[in-house]
Amino acid sequence: MPKIVLEHVTKRFEKFVAVEDLNMVIEDREFITLLGPSGCGKTTTLRMIAGLETPTEGRITIGDTVVFDAAKGINISPGKRDIGFLFQNYALWPHMTVYQNIAFGLENLKWSKEDIRKRVDEMLAMLKIEQFEKRYPSELSGGQQQRVAIARTLAPKPKVLFMDEPLSNLDAKLRLEMRTELKRLHADTDSTFVYVTHDQLEAMTLATRVCLMKTGIMQQYDPPLTVYKDPANLFTADFVGNPTMNFIQATARKVDDTHAELDALGSKMVFESKDPLGELAEGEANAVLGVRPEFLRLKSGSHKAKVYATLPAGMETTVKLEAPDGTMLTSVEFGSVDYDLNSQIDYQIYGDGIILFDKKSEKNIGKGCVKL
Amino acid sequence: MKNIKKVLAVVLALVMVFGLAACGGGNTTPANNNTAPAEPKTVAEKIAAAEKMSEAELEAAAKAELEAAVAADAKTVFNADSLTSGVKKVAEAFMKKYTWAADKIVYNSRKGSEYQPVLDAAAKADQYVADFVMIQDAAFLKFNMLDAGFLLSYTPSGDGFKFNPGTTDPQVGVTFNKVFLWNNTKVGKDQLQNVWQLTGADGATLKGLKNASVQSPLGEDINMNFFIMMTSPDAVDRLTKAYKSYFGKDYVADPAYKNIGYQFLAEFTKNVAYWHSSDTSEVKNIVGYADDGRIVFAGLAKLKDYLGLETKPSIEDLTGAGWNADVEGFSGFVYNMWTLIPKTAKLPYTSCLFIRYLLSEEGFKAGWGGQYGYYSANVNNKPIDNDKPLDSWVKTCLVEDVDYIGSAYSEAQKFIKQQLGQ
Amino acid sequence: METKTKSSGNRIKAYFSKPANVITVIFFIILLAAVVLPLITLLLGSFSINGSQEAMYVGGGVKNGDITAHHWWELLFSKEYDYAKTVFWRPLGQSALMALYACAIAVLFGGIVAWFITRSDLPFKKFISTVFVFPYIMPSWAMAMFWENFFKNTQINAGMGILQSVTGICVPESMVYGFAPCAWALGLHYAPFAYILIGGILRNMDANLEEAATVLKASRFKILRKVTLPIVLPALISTVLLVFSSSISSFTVPFFLNKSSISSGNSFVSISVQMRSLVNSGFTKGQGYVVAIVLMIFSIIILTLNSRVTGKRKSFTTVTGKSGQVSLVKLGKARAVIAIILVVIVAFFAIMPLVSFATESLCEVSGDWSTFSLKYWLSAEPFEGSAKGDTIGILRSTILWKALGRSVLLSICVAFAAGTFGLLIGYAVAKKRGSKLAGMVSNIAFFPYLIPSMSFGAVYLALSYTEGFKWLNGSYLLLFIVGAIKFMPFASRTGTSAMMQLSGEIEEAAVMMDVPWGKRMTRILFPIQKSSFISGYLLPFISCMREMSLFVLLIPTYTALATTVLQEYSRTGLTQSANAINLLIIVVVLVIQFIVNKLTGASIDKGVGGN
């Protein structure tokens, strides 16, 4: 069964390093998303695994086969890697009908005519595009084109499916719909999915594990909720979650293994970690306190702030606060609430999901609760 | 910008002319019309007047005409259009002699097939094209230019001018010939004696020649005319005689051919070994061929390109004492270049003076003196020493005959193309 | 009533508020006038008696200007001396075949090189792509001349050629003269053209389209056959069309290479040679027009085929921004071998003719180094034995420098106009995809190329003698107009294909921000497809620089343009000077191309991928 292993994979374009020393294991039937801002090397990584791009160094194994090894000079062509690839712009062949597009891969596998017919029909039905069979891609809408592209990719039943931002060209509603479809597809097809996106919500909702990348370097590789609840560093904490995490500048001093004194938002606090704290650089403003908006509770507590704006969305309401020292804070409350602008409000930092980052290394050095 | 200026200038000139005419109109009385013989106005009238003038009178008229034209438009020049660069040299000598025309005579090199459409267009629109035109291709000249009255002829007279009958209306300027040339060191001097040798057939005494090189009549109009002339009554006569002398028996008509000329054409074209693309380079290369060399059909005038070479076998190997200019049948083809004046010329007196000069001894020397293959229509002008006089060439060659070409063209060109297209 | 006229008035206003519509309508009118005029003239000429000479030929008492079907009948059906067969049908068939071979050679050679340059990791790309376009910069007969000089041998009594003097090999006559060499010379001459057009598409083509097929286990060959080729098909057909019509109407090459004797069976008289002979003779002008029209009909058939094959339905889906990551095909072990072969072939056909020009201009007797002389370049004295007073070394000849200056200026103006027209037509066609008028404009824009240069020139010559247009007579403005129209097809092709690949949204984004149309064109659309457009400017430039037959009727004197000076020298026997000018023209074109490259970063070969 295909398990994908990347060892020390590096890709350099002349002077520019796209991916640096990437090590990663993708287990069978996983749904992995490669997440990061544009230019972080996620697409390059995907294309390297698929064989469309040649790594400069390293080794890639799919299943039991080493498909690439820079040292040994192994480089198996994409066609022989038994994979499917869904392109961002779909890359449908403009001169072929929908049917011909989908059948193309099956023809290459030397399937019989009837089998191809059967499988294409199956795919057309599955993606609900039966009526477009005889059309050319230019006669389809974006969403329809996307379905055709998926059908084409899935038709040969690839064991591993690579997707390069396949939903980015769709409108919001369709994107949501397709996301659900993709998740079902993953369950139905028994395949391993590797999915590139810059949309953190897409990454979170789809994946079994998220690989976060920044400037060619892997930042965190964990299940979505872990990434959310226990981000490895300031970058992942900031990139994942909407509204984004509150970052409160603090001066911290370790008291013992699990406790640190904090000076933040104009008051003194104590941070209590469940596990031993990580390394903390000495000095003023040496730490950042990361508080998810849902851990910032309003209307009670000892902190005070001014209501800057309320953004009700029906199910929840995002409240923007301005702390006395000017720090902007975000809180999310369930349901529809409304506050007068510029009114003073009390709040508290609540729960044991608060993260302490070392400002210099940007690393997560502890998770726990804050007490006054 | 320039064009706008031109247009403005023309408009201004017109306004002035009309203005003057309007002013003058008021003052003149109708009675004036009856006095004095009418001044020649059209180009034809001016040419007729010029033919009656002495050289001095003509020069005075030309000078006055040019000065008036330059006064009206400082950019006025005398345009002399021709394919032959001899005209350029004539123009330079002309300007030296008639200093009042300095810098005003412009030679424009116009290749025949590319110039004919220009003349056609100008004739159709009755527009100015040049003041002097020197062209070849008798059929074009006669049917499209003379019959339409677009090109007019001027013949100088007086001491030093003597023309053979048939060369003055229209006026011939220079006559050319195209002949079979070869390198005597490669092809024996006496090799080509009878034109039937060129069909490749072995006669009783002479070897058929298999190395003729000719430019295809499909690309060279003069050669097409030459080929057509091979079917003319004159050629039939010559070929029949030469046939008897070569094969030692009377020619018996072959029903497959219209006449002996057609048969000769068919056998000759089949025997041409090489269809060269440029007479000039072929004449230059004539030295280089190994073995039996080539017999090149080209303008005798092309020898100038050969003479230009620094390393060459003696010219005698090709010409002069060496050549056989009296091939039985015919030695080649003679054709004319006419000196004419468009009826839209702006400076007709100058045109006449120019033609007069071109045909004079001085003018011919300036343009074509010291070269092979150029024969002035003015028989007082002698060709280069080693060359033969025109009279001799006319006897030994086929001569372009516009009436025959006109009547035979349709059939003969079909036959020739059939031969070439095999 | 009033409301009705008002609403239709509004509709017209709305129609013309869109620049694409305005452009379409304006160009429709311009092209109609500029292209249909020569067409009608040709057609009329083919059905009437053109001059008294022709009246005499036709006989039966017809007069100049009479309407007649004689030309058509004579040329198509006359059995007298197999006339129709020898002058028309057989040459037409053979020439069509020859042109097809030339297309095959051009498309295969140009296409393969384009593929290697754009899609593989071939080394020496820069060299190959720079040098590969040389043969196109030279006049087509240069390649023919080189072919003869290379292959001729003493066994066919044509003098010793390069091949024989180096290796002693004598090739058979059919490889030196006749049908095959014509096809080769033309094919090699137009291969760079195929390379530019096909390479442009390949480079702009979304690499994902091929990658998608790779992932689906299609073999390299199958991808080429089923994906790449169908997508470059429009460019291929454009190439075939342009090469075909140029080849079939090329006069110089078949005339130059038809030197074999008739009895050798190797003689090849092309339809263009027949046409030239017919048009040049005052007796048969009308028949010449008939041939010109038939040749155009051939091209129109291909044109129709083109629009059939590339119907609207299969049109390009637009390219989004993400095709930058082209993965180059690894040639592996074959890399070095292919590179060497290509470099040798390209250098041979591109550089050898230049070398031969150079040597020809340096020897008094062709190929004889003992007659080495620099005088044709440097002499300040007129040449001995030459009839011309103005013939001095070309580098010292003010006549030539002035002519060259005018040629460059004319070509720049023509290129600018043709290129801009082409771009605008491309824009209008891409914007109004599927509209009938736009389709018509795009097709008519092709026509000037299909009309033989000489006929095209002749029509404008006649125009310049017509009342109201006389101010054009002999002016450079006329040359400019004729050139701009004649060379528009190159630019409109590149312009259209480049615009077709731009997603409409790119412009719409700017429309939303209320960017005016001119700015959208110059600041957004042009920069994105810059290399394609610049090659749309460079192609007319190069073609105009080496054009002769188009202008020869329209110039006042041979000193007008560099090519006409060249023709004059070669006609009067100054082959060395002619060769030197040829070399000089090529060098000038290369220098200008180099400057354009430095200034804009784009060049013909770069447009294809030679960086």
Side-chain angles (χ1 to χ4, degrees):
Chain A
M1 279 289 108
K3 165 177 163 184
I4 302 169
V5 183
L6 280 75
E7 294 160 86
H8 304 291
V9 172
T10 298
K11 174 72 182 178
R12 272 186 292 270
F13 292 105
E14 284 175 34
K15 283 165 208 156
F16 162 74
V17 182
V19 175
E20 200 170 349
D21 195 29
L22 183 67
N23 292 288
M24 191 175 174
V25 177
I26 298 167
E27 297 293 344
D28 185 27
R29 295 190 201 181
E30 265 200 294
F31 195 139
I32 299 297
T33 52
L34 295 169
L35 177 66
S38 49
C40 70
K42 55 193 190 301
T43 296
T44 307
T45 305
L46 188 75
R47 289 169 58 86
M48 286 194 291
I49 308 173
L52 297 172
E53 204 88 64
T54 311
T56 321
E57 279 160 38
R59 192 162 114 118
I60 301 171
T61 318
I62 299 178
D64 303 323
T65 325
V66 177
V67 292
F68 180 84
D69 192 326
K72 287 187 189 151
I74 298 171
N75 188 9
I76 292 176
S77 85
K80 298 207 173 83
R81 293 190 185 188
D82 213 6
I83 51 157
F85 200 109
L86 194 57
F87 293 91
Q88 181 183 16
N89 54 6
Y90 322 136
L92 294 177
W93 299 302
H95 57 291
M96 295 188 197
T97 59
V98 167
Y99 182 89
Q100 288 166 332
N101 262 290
I102 300 172
F104 187 81
L106 305 175
E107 286 165 15
N108 295 333
L109 293 173
K110 308 254 162 13
W111 283 29
S112 73
K113 272 233 160 64
E114 304 84 73
D115 288 348
I116 293 177
R117 177 82 252 178
K118 230 176 93 196
R119 178 67 179 161
V120 174
D121 284 343
E122 209 176 294
M123 297 313 299
L124 290 170
M126 179 170 147
L127 290 148
K128 303 185 187 73
I129 45 176
E130 298 100 320
Q131 67 270 42
F132 306 128
E133 187 189 318
K134 291 198 172 68
R135 290 218 201 155
Y136 285 97
S138 61
E139 297 162 332
L140 301 176
S141 74
Q144 290 158 351
Q145 286 185 17
Q146 213 255 349
R147 285 159 194 265
V148 176
I150 293 175
R152 181 179 73 180
T153 313
L154 291 180
K157 302 181 183 166
K159 283 280 154 260
V160 190
L161 188 57
F162 296 118
M163 288 171 274
D164 185 5
E165 307 207 24
L167 306 184
S168 64
N169 290 341
L170 302 181
D171 63 59
K173 187 160 175 282
L174 201 58
R175 204 178 307 159
L176 207 67
E177 211 173 280
M178 289 311 297
R179 240 181 249 160
T180 321
E181 298 285 338
L182 280 178
K183 196 128 193 184
R184 283 292 321 170
L185 213 59
H186 179 240
D188 294 347
T189 53
D190 268 1
S191 309
T192 307
F193 279 26
V194 184
Y195 187 107
V196 162
T197 182
H198 62 264
D199 181 338
Q200 55 91 18
L201 189 66
E202 210 163 277
M204 300 294 285
T205 49
L206 288 174
T208 53
R209 273 202 286 175
V210 177
C211 171
L212 260 146
M213 294 183 72
K214 183 190 166 195
T215 58
I217 298 161
M218 188 206 273
Q219 305 292 322
Q220 191 167 8
Y221 183 38
D222 277 314
L225 289 179
T226 311
V227 173
Y228 185 80
K229 288 183 178 153
D230 202 359
N233 53 36
L234 275 173
F235 169 76
T236 49
D238 187 33
F239 202 81
V240 172
N242 186 24
T244 50
M245 187 180 251
N246 292 301
F247 293 116
I248 300 160
Q249 302 299 325
T251 305
R253 193 175 55 81
K254 261 193 204 174
V255 182
D256 57 36
D257 247 12
T258 54
H259 288 81
E261 277 180 7
L262 295 180
D263 195 346
L265 297 168
S267 42
K268 297 232 182 271
M269 290 174 266
V270 174
F271 180 82
E272 188 184 304
S273 171
K274 280 178 261 177
D275 301 310
L277 285 166
E279 207 167 301
L280 181 67
E282 297 285 322
E284 282 291 300
N286 60 346
V288 175
L289 201 59
V291 184
R292 290 275 173 210
E294 57 267 35
F295 297 139
L296 214 137
R297 269 208 189 156
L298 299 182
K299 288 195 285 194
S300 63
S302 47
H303 296 294
K304 284 198 184 334
K306 197 167 74 179
V307 176
Y308 187 77
T310 51
L311 310 163
M315 197 160 69
E316 81 280 322
T317 303
T318 305
V319 184
K320 289 274 179 191
L321 305 174
E322 189 179 352
D325 64 347
T327 311
M328 292 300 287
L329 298 169
T330 311
S331 159
V332 174
E333 286 207 27
F334 196 74
S336 230
V337 280
D338 205 1
Y339 298 103
D340 293 333
L341 286 189
N342 295 332
S343 59
Q344 285 288 328
I345 196 161
D346 296 335
Y347 70 92
Q348 59 168 313
I349 294 167
Y350 147 94
D352 55 4
I354 313 301
I355 316 285
L356 188 65
F357 297 97
D358 174 53
K359 186 150 187 199
K360 200 166 168 223
S361 69
E362 297 194 349
K363 277 192 180 140
N364 175 341
I365 53 169
K367 180 177 165 188
C369 56
V370 174
K371 290 174 187 154
L372 279 173
Chain B
M1 266 319 275
K2 260 189 185 161
N3 281 303
I4 293 171
K5 271 185 191 161
K6 240 184 223 168
V7 170
L8 271 177
V10 170
V11 168
L12 271 176
L14 281 174
V15 166
M16 279 167 71
V17 167
F18 280 116
L20 283 173
C23 292
N27 297 336
T28 44
T29 50
N32 278 1
N33 283 351
N34 293 336
T35 56
E39 273 282 299
K41 284 204 180 85
T42 64
V43 171
E45 285 164 9
K46 286 184 180 174
I47 292 171
E51 282 185 334
K52 291 189 193 101
M53 293 179 189
S54 68
E55 192 192 338
E57 285 166 346
L58 182 58
E59 186 189 343
K63 190 173 175 225
E65 172 190 70
L66 183 67
E67 278 165 1
V70 170
D73 177 4
K75 280 186 192 151
T76 305
V77 286
F78 177 91
N79 282 298
D81 290 7
S82 179
L83 144 78
T84 167
S85 51
V87 171
K88 185 188 170 85
K89 292 195 240 167
V90 172
E92 274 159 12
F94 182 87
M95 288 189 280
K96 255 182 213 150
K97 178 167 183 184
Y98 302 104
T99 45
W100 46 267
D103 296 331
K104 291 294 168 195
I105 314 290
V106 174
Y107 163 69
N108 305 306
S109 170
R110 309 302 302 247
K111 192 180 157 196
S113 58
E114 285 154 12
Y115 191 47
Q116 286 181 6
V118 175
L119 281 175
D120 264 334
K124 216 178 228 170
D126 203 17
Q127 284 300 309
Y128 175 76
V129 58
D131 298 284
F132 164 82
V133 170
M134 189 166 171
I135 55 166
Q136 59 189 28
D137 191 347
F140 170 77
L141 177 68
K142 179 167 185 344
F143 302 119
N144 283 14
M145 294 288 113
L146 297 175
D147 288 357
F150 185 67
L151 292 183
L152 307 169
S153 180
Y154 160 80
T155 304
S157 57
D159 293 343
F161 292 101
K162 192 180 155 206
F163 301 102
N164 282 334
T167 60
T168 53
D169 190 24
Q171 179 63 48
V172 175
V174 176
T175 301
F176 296 75
N177 56 355
K178 274 195 154 191
V179 294
F180 293 98
L181 294 168
W182 63 92
N183 184 348
N184 279 332
T185 57
K186 298 281 168 63
V187 183
K189 164 181 167 182
D190 300 324
Q191 279 286 22
L192 184 61
Q193 297 282 345
N194 188 306
V195 77
W196 282 96
Q197 282 175 273
L198 293 170
T199 64
D202 274 39
T205 51
L206 293 159
K207 223 178 110 221
L209 296 170
K210 293 201 174 290
N211 43 6
S213 183
V214 181
Q215 193 174 2
S216 170
L218 293 176
E220 169 66 13
D221 306 330
I222 299 293
N223 287 5
M224 180 59 97
N225 287 346
F226 175 46
F227 277 36
I228 290 171
M229 285 311 294
M230 285 185 198
T231 66
S232 67
D234 176 43
V236 166
D237 213 36
R238 289 159 174 269
L239 285 168
T240 315
K241 278 186 201 136
Y243 185 92
K244 184 163 186 195
S245 131
Y246 185 63
F247 294 103
K249 57 182 181 189
D250 281 329
Y251 172 72
V252 182
D254 184 337
Y257 301 104
K258 197 179 174 191
N259 63 35
I260 190 171
Y262 280 79
Q263 182 171 355
F264 176 79
L265 256 179
E267 291 174 10
F268 169 62
T269 47
K270 212 162 275 157
N271 190 50
V272 169
Y274 191 78
W275 298 94
H276 60 253
S277 54
S278 150
D279 284 357
T280 306
S281 49
E282 208 49 38
V283 169
K284 277 189 186 176
N285 290 340
I286 216 165
V287 209
Y289 292 113
D291 307 331
D292 54 351
R294 278 185 190 167
I295 296 174
V296 178
F297 181 71
L300 188 61
K302 297 292 176 199
L303 282 178
K304 69 164 183 274
D305 298 309
Y306 183 79
L307 288 164
L309 303 176
E310 273 156 23
T311 56
K312 62 192 177 233
S314 142
I315 194 70
E316 271 72 38
D317 287 336
L318 265 115
T319 60
W323 86 43
N324 178 13
D326 200 6
V327 179
E328 256 186 283
F330 47 81
S331 306
F333 185 55
V334 167
Y335 58 99
N336 294 323
M337 203 171 251
W338 288 269
T339 48
L340 299 159
I341 305 167
K343 75 173 209 203
T344 54
K346 286 175 184 160
L347 303 166
Y349 287 126
T350 319
S351 310
C352 293
L353 186 67
F354 190 79
I355 291 172
R356 190 184 172 89
Y357 181 72
L358 188 150
L359 288 164
S360 73
E361 192 186 350
E362 190 187 335
F364 179 72
K365 257 202 188 122
W368 298 277
Q371 293 183 59
Y372 290 92
Y374 297 108
Y375 314 95
S376 176
N378 180 0
V379 292
N380 288 340
N381 294 330
K382 298 274 171 280
I384 188 172
D385 281 349
N386 275 337
D387 202 343
K388 312 212 171 223
L390 181 58
D391 293 349
S392 155
W393 286 114
V394 169
K395 275 187 206 115
T396 58
C397 291
L398 298 180
V399 180
E400 185 181 34
D401 174 357
V402 59
D403 292 319
Y404 180 73
I405 290 175
S407 65
Y409 192 88
S410 169
E411 184 174 3
Q413 70 117 359
K414 283 177 188 160
F415 180 77
I416 292 163
K417 286 178 180 170
Q418 183 191 37
Q419 304 311 311
L420 293 171
Q422 274 168 5
Chain C
M1 265 311 268
E2 202 181 51
T3 50
K4 206 173 184 186
T5 47
K6 207 172 185 183
S7 83
S8 73
N10 280 343
R11 224 176 303 150
I12 291 172
K13 220 189 229 168
Y15 183 80
F16 283 110
S17 71
K18 287 198 185 117
N21 292 334
V22 178
I23 293 170
T24 313
V25 171
I26 288 178
F27 274 98
F28 184 70
I29 294 166
I30 292 180
L31 286 169
L32 212 59
V35 177
V36 174
L37 177 79
L39 272 181
I40 290 176
T41 317
L42 273 183
L43 211 59
L44 281 182
S46 78
F47 278 110
S48 56
I49 304 289
N50 307 280
S52 345
Q53 242 179 309
E54 204 160 277
M56 178 152 216
Y57 178 97
V58 175
V62 295
K63 290 190 306 295
N64 182 12
D66 284 0
I67 298 297
T68 178
H70 181 272
H71 310 318
W72 285 89
W73 193 90
E74 177 103 334
L75 200 61
L76 265 50
F77 306 111
S78 171
K79 289 210 166 66
E80 196 184 357
Y81 297 118
D82 297 328
Y83 188 61
K85 194 176 132 198
T86 39
V87 174
F88 184 71
W89 293 111
R90 198 172 44 205
L92 181 67
Q94 286 184 335
S95 295
L97 195 64
M98 188 267 295
L100 283 179
Y101 277 126
C103 286
I105 292 164
V107 165
L108 275 178
F109 190 29
I112 287 171
V113 173
W115 188 86
F116 275 119
I117 296 287
T118 53
R119 283 286 188 272
S120 79
D121 63 343
L122 190 79
F124 312 123
K125 274 186 190 174
K126 180 90 198 159
F127 172 80
I128 294 174
S129 68
T130 307
V131 168
F132 192 72
V133 294
F134 284 11
Y136 189 67
I137 302 173
M138 306 170 205
S140 59
W141 52 260
M143 190 54 86
M145 202 192 251
F146 170 68
W147 188 276
E148 187 196 27
N149 285 341
F150 188 79
F151 287 111
K152 70 181 180 185
N153 54 65
T154 50
Q155 238 170 49
I156 57 168
N157 194 21
M160 195 183 279
I162 300 169
L163 184 69
Q164 190 188 5
S165 64
V166 173
T167 64
I169 296 170
C170 290
V171 298
E173 190 164 2
S174 59
M175 259 189 82
V176 189
Y177 300 121
F179 183 89
C182 286
W184 276 103
L186 287 165
L188 291 171
H189 173 67
Y190 288 111
F193 186 67
Y195 163 77
I196 290 163
L197 286 189
I198 297 170
I201 297 276
L202 276 180
R203 187 178 168 82
N204 286 327
M205 186 180 129
D206 189 350
N208 286 349
L209 292 174
E210 287 176 300
E211 286 170 357
T214 312
V215 170
L216 287 171
K217 301 188 196 311
S219 65
R220 260 283 139 214
F221 179 67
K222 190 167 186 191
I223 295 173
L224 200 65
R225 199 162 50 87
K226 298 282 258 188
V227 178
T228 317
L229 279 182
I231 289 170
V232 299
L233 197 64
L236 269 182
I237 292 180
S238 295
T239 312
V240 166
L241 181 62
L242 291 169
V243 175
F244 183 87
S245 48
S246 314
S247 301
I248 203 170
S249 56
S250 157
F251 168 77
T252 41
V253 171
F255 185 71
F256 191 84
L257 288 177
N258 183 31
K259 289 181 173 158
S260 288
S261 68
I262 288 157
S263 51
S264 70
N266 193 42
S267 175
F268 163 61
V269 182
S270 76
I271 189 77
S272 54
V273 170
Q274 297 283 13
M275 178 171 87
R276 178 71 75 107
S277 164
L278 291 170
V279 169
N280 274 1
S281 165
F283 292 107
T284 49
K285 282 211 161 30
Q287 293 182 35
Y289 299 151
V290 173
V291 179
I293 290 168
V294 171
L295 291 187
M296 285 183 60
I297 292 173
F298 254 80
S299 307
I300 292 168
I301 292 171
I302 305 182
L303 194 66
T304 327
L305 222 70
N306 182 20
S307 43
R308 276 279 163 78
V309 173
T310 57
K312 178 165 74 104
R313 293 188 76 197
K314 301 182 192 177
S315 73
F316 285 94
T317 39
T318 47
V319 177
T320 53
K322 220 182 180 180
S323 63
Q325 339 132 314
V326 183
S327 62
L328 299 177
V329 172
K330 295 269 177 297
L331 297 174
K333 281 175 197 143
R335 191 167 174 259
V337 180
I338 292 171
I340 289 168
I341 292 174
L342 271 184
V343 166
V344 168
I345 293 179
V346 166
F348 180 76
F349 288 114
I351 296 176
M352 285 296 278
L354 292 186
V355 173
S356 86
F357 284 143
T359 56
E360 293 280 320
S361 72
L362 292 172
C363 292
E364 299 226 19
V365 176
S366 167
D368 182 355
W369 283 102
S370 65
T371 59
F372 174 85
S373 164
L374 281 172
K375 73 174 188 184
Y376 296 101
W377 288 92
L378 295 174
S379 168
E381 293 294 311
F383 307 136
E384 215 181 307
S386 158
K388 296 192 108 61
D390 64 309
T391 46
I392 55 175
I394 61 156
L395 293 181
R396 290 186 181 235
S397 163
T398 41
I399 288 179
L400 179 73
W401 283 114
K402 279 185 187 161
L404 195 62
R406 280 190 288 262
S407 278
V408 171
L409 195 65
L410 177 71
S411 302
I412 288 174
C413 294
V414 162
F416 188 74
T420 309
F421 290 173
L423 200 150
L424 292 176
I425 290 174
Y427 171 79
V429 171
K431 274 272 137 177
K432 300 183 52 63
R433 224 174 287 197
S435 120
K436 265 213 181 109
L437 196 64
M440 235 140 90
V441 166
S442 137
N443 279 342
I444 302 179
F446 228 119
F447 268 63
Y449 200 81
L450 309 181
I451 305 173
S453 291
M454 283 283 261
S455 321
F456 201 75
V459 171
Y460 280 88
L461 174 78
L463 180 76
S464 75
Y465 277 104
T466 312
E467 210 57 57
F469 294 98
K470 276 179 203 155
W471 49 279
L472 280 174
N473 194 328
S475 71
Y476 287 90
L477 187 64
L478 183 63
L479 299 188
F480 163 75
I481 293 171
V482 171
I485 293 167
K486 178 78 181 170
F487 298 122
M488 200 166 18
F490 298 114
S492 83
R493 274 296 114 157
T494 41
T496 308
S497 62
M499 286 289 187
M500 281 286 193
Q501 288 170 16
L502 279 180
S503 144
E505 293 147 26
I506 292 174
E507 193 194 353
E508 279 152 18
V511 175
M512 300 311 292
M513 292 161 78
D514 210 18
V515 179
W517 178 78
K519 209 168 182 182
R520 296 205 297 270
M521 289 296 286
T522 53
R523 302 295 291 276
I524 297 170
L525 300 182
F526 189 83
I528 293 177
Q529 290 286 48
K530 190 166 80 178
S531 63
S532 295
F533 291 137
I534 298 264
S535 69
Y537 282 93
L538 279 173
L539 271 181
F541 175 79
I542 293 173
S543 313
C544 188
M545 275 299 283
R546 63 170 169 71
E547 178 62 51
M548 191 172 62
S549 45
L550 180 66
F551 298 133
V552 81
L553 291 181
L554 306 172
I555 52 163
T557 169
Y558 79 92
T559 55
L561 299 172
T563 46
T564 51
V565 175
L566 186 159
Q567 187 205 23
E568 178 71 8
Y569 284 0
S570 111
R571 189 172 69 76
T572 52
L574 273 172
T575 342
Q576 294 89 342
S577 302
N579 279 313
I581 295 175
N582 220 331
L583 199 61
L584 195 64
I585 292 176
I586 294 167
V587 169
V588 167
V589 170
L590 289 178
V591 167
I592 289 176
Q593 204 181 307
F594 179 78
I595 294 170
V596 170
N597 184 7
K598 285 288 149 212
L599 290 182
T600 66
S603 73
I604 283 202
D605 58 285
K606 207 170 180 182
V608 176
N611 50 342

